[in-house]
Amino acid sequence: MKRFFGAFFVIGLIVAGSVAFQACDSSSSTAPTGSILDEITGYQSWAVLDAVVGPDPFLAAAHGVNNGFVRVVYASQGPDANGTYPEGTIIVKELRDADGNVVGPLTIMLKRGSDFNPAGNGWEWAMTNDTRDSIALHGDNQAMALCANCHTQANAAGNGSDWVFKHPKEYTVDDMAAFLDFANWEKVAENFGPDPFLGQAHGVKDSLYRFVWMNYRVKAFDGKYPTGMIIVKELKDRNGNSVGPLTVMVKRGGNFNPDGNGWEWFMTSPTRDTIITRGDNSTAANGICAGCHSQANTGDNGVDWVFTRP
Ligand code: HEC
Ligand code: HEC
């Protein structure tokens, strides 16, 4: 928490400094009249382009990346066939904490068009204060150089288009290194004994303890866990030794496994030195994981293919 607001405070200072400097420079565009807060009213009912947690190659320490906040991006409309957003488009990015509460400033892009910010293809950049009840900063590429200097990377092929990063994002895991340090994560459950859904699976019959770990302890947003999330289930014997295969779910997102909300299923060998199966609903373990986990989508059993809720 502290780290996040600290980082944004520093960014705020840098940007505020440049705005103050340019206040007496008449060549810097001023924003159109009207309140940006009014323009974004009701943005949470717009289309959700993405909900992501964890590191991003473009983000470094910006935008609340290192603290487990979920970054949710909403857009009032989508881009045209060339990836250009029509005049009038507004995109809002918000941060949510582990309990799903919106925290910190909103960052906003508004497509003004016509003569506004030609260097930035007509976008106005804006940011609210920490409590989101006033606009702290706004302006064109020059006034909001910090935003523009990073977002220009979205214009490179493959990264996005029209200053907007690519959505939906895909998070891929190369190998087991992505989840072998799970013991340093948040333990969200410690189960033992029979379970109505388990039958003979997952070590029940061997009287093993079943621990569930999450790389980020966050709640599902809009019925889905964010891209970048990893959940590991570990088995332990009565002496506390970690035993047998790890079963793992990685929220890969993007266009992966649309039938399974973007989850990739994994299972390691019993000695945990190789991945013996991974894939989508039908390929991982020949569909056995998804077949049982689909029960988590019904009633109050769980949410988004996941039984355990933090
Ligand atoms: C260090 C790089 C960086 C800086 C600085 C930055 N952003 Fe972003 N921004 C991103 C990335 C990366 C995303 C993609 C979503 C994500 O993963 O968080 C993003 C997403 C957004 C979005 C959603 C649209 C999109 O491109 O995905 C808005 C709106 C936004 N930023 C506004 C701003 C504003 C306004 C500022 C300046 C106050 C700013 N950003 C500064 C990297 C940056
Ligand atoms: C017969 C049903 C069943 C099958 C098959 C099954 N699981 Fe599970 N799984 C569960 C239940 C029930 C839980 C809840 C935790 C507990 O008490 O064991 C769970 C928990 C998990 C968790 C922790 C997140 C959560 O949903 O609670 C992961 C990760 C997981 N399973 C992965 C897998 C993978 C990967 C496969 C296939 C290799 C698989 N599971 C096969 C029933 C099943």
Side-chain angles (χ1 to χ4, degrees):
M1 260 291 185
K2 256 212 173 107
R3 195 147 45 133
F4 159 68
F5 289 113
F8 241 109
F9 184 55
V10 172
I11 290 171
L13 278 184
I14 296 166
V15 180
S18 82
V19 168
F21 179 70
Q22 282 159 14
C24 48
D25 172 359
S26 59
S27 70
S28 167
S29 303
T30 48
T33 50
S35 157
I36 292 173
L37 283 184
D38 289 344
E39 292 181 85
I40 64 167
T41 301
Y43 76 85
Q44 286 175 337
S45 67
W46 299 348
V48 174
L49 298 188
D50 239 336
V52 183
V53 69
D56 180 283
F58 302 112
L59 271 180
H63 277 276
V65 80
N66 286 326
N67 42 38
F69 289 159
V70 180
R71 312 189 297 277
V72 188
V73 177
Y74 303 84
S76 65
Q77 56 189 324
D80 66 18
N82 301 320
T84 305
Y85 288 81
E87 196 170 323
T89 304
I90 306 178
I91 308 183
V92 176
K93 172 162 152 176
E94 71 180 11
L95 304 175
R96 288 179 178 253
D97 68 12
D99 296 316
N101 301 314
V102 180
V103 290
L106 300 174
T107 43
I108 309 161
M109 294 169 69
L110 307 99
K111 196 46 132 23
R112 301 302 189 189
S114 53
D115 294 336
F116 185 80
N117 194 16
N121 214 17
W123 285 110
E124 179 173 13
W125 307 94
M127 185 169 124
T128 69
N129 63 347
D130 275 354
T131 45
R132 301 169 301 284
D133 44 22
S134 69
I135 298 294
L137 303 159
H138 65 115
D140 62 7
N141 274 16
Q142 201 183 348
M144 301 289 275
L146 187 89
C147 318
N149 288 347
C150 183
H151 272 257
T152 190
Q153 299 174 93
N155 297 321
N159 293 353
S161 62
D162 193 13
W163 301 85
V164 177
F165 286 98
K166 184 167 146 196
H167 300 290
K169 250 176 216 196
E170 187 166 342
Y171 169 76
T172 44
V173 159
D174 294 333
D175 52 39
M176 290 192 302
F179 50 75
L180 279 184
D181 68 337
F182 64 87
N184 296 320
W185 300 353
E186 191 98 20
K187 187 171 70 187
V188 292
E190 195 177 320
N191 300 329
F192 183 77
D195 180 285
F197 303 109
L198 270 181
Q200 299 291 297
H202 277 281
V204 147
K205 68 174 190 312
D206 310 312
S207 301
L208 296 173
Y209 291 81
R210 309 184 302 277
F211 282 25
V212 178
W213 304 84
M214 293 184 172
N215 63 344
Y216 297 101
R217 192 194 80 85
V218 293
K219 289 196 168 146
F221 167 76
D222 212 14
K224 290 181 206 152
Y225 285 100
T227 296
M229 176 134 184
I230 306 181
I231 312 181
V232 169
K233 176 161 155 181
E234 173 199 26
L235 303 174
K236 280 189 192 271
D237 66 17
R238 282 168 186 275
N239 300 321
N241 301 315
S242 196
V243 292
L246 299 171
T247 45
V248 183
M249 297 170 68
V250 174
K251 195 35 111 71
R252 188 157 150 178
N255 299 314
F256 184 78
N257 194 16
D259 293 340
N261 267 352
W263 283 113
E264 184 169 11
W265 308 91
F266 291 77
M267 187 162 100
T268 71
S269 61
T271 46
R272 301 176 188 182
D273 39 26
T274 49
I275 293 173
I276 59 168
T277 188
R278 70 180 282 183
D280 63 16
N281 275 11
S282 51
T283 54
N286 295 317
I288 292 169
C289 315
C292 184
H293 273 257
S294 66
Q295 301 174 90
N297 300 328
T298 356
D300 199 35
N301 297 347
V303 64
D304 191 15
W305 304 86
V306 177
F307 290 103
T308 308
R309 275 168 292 186

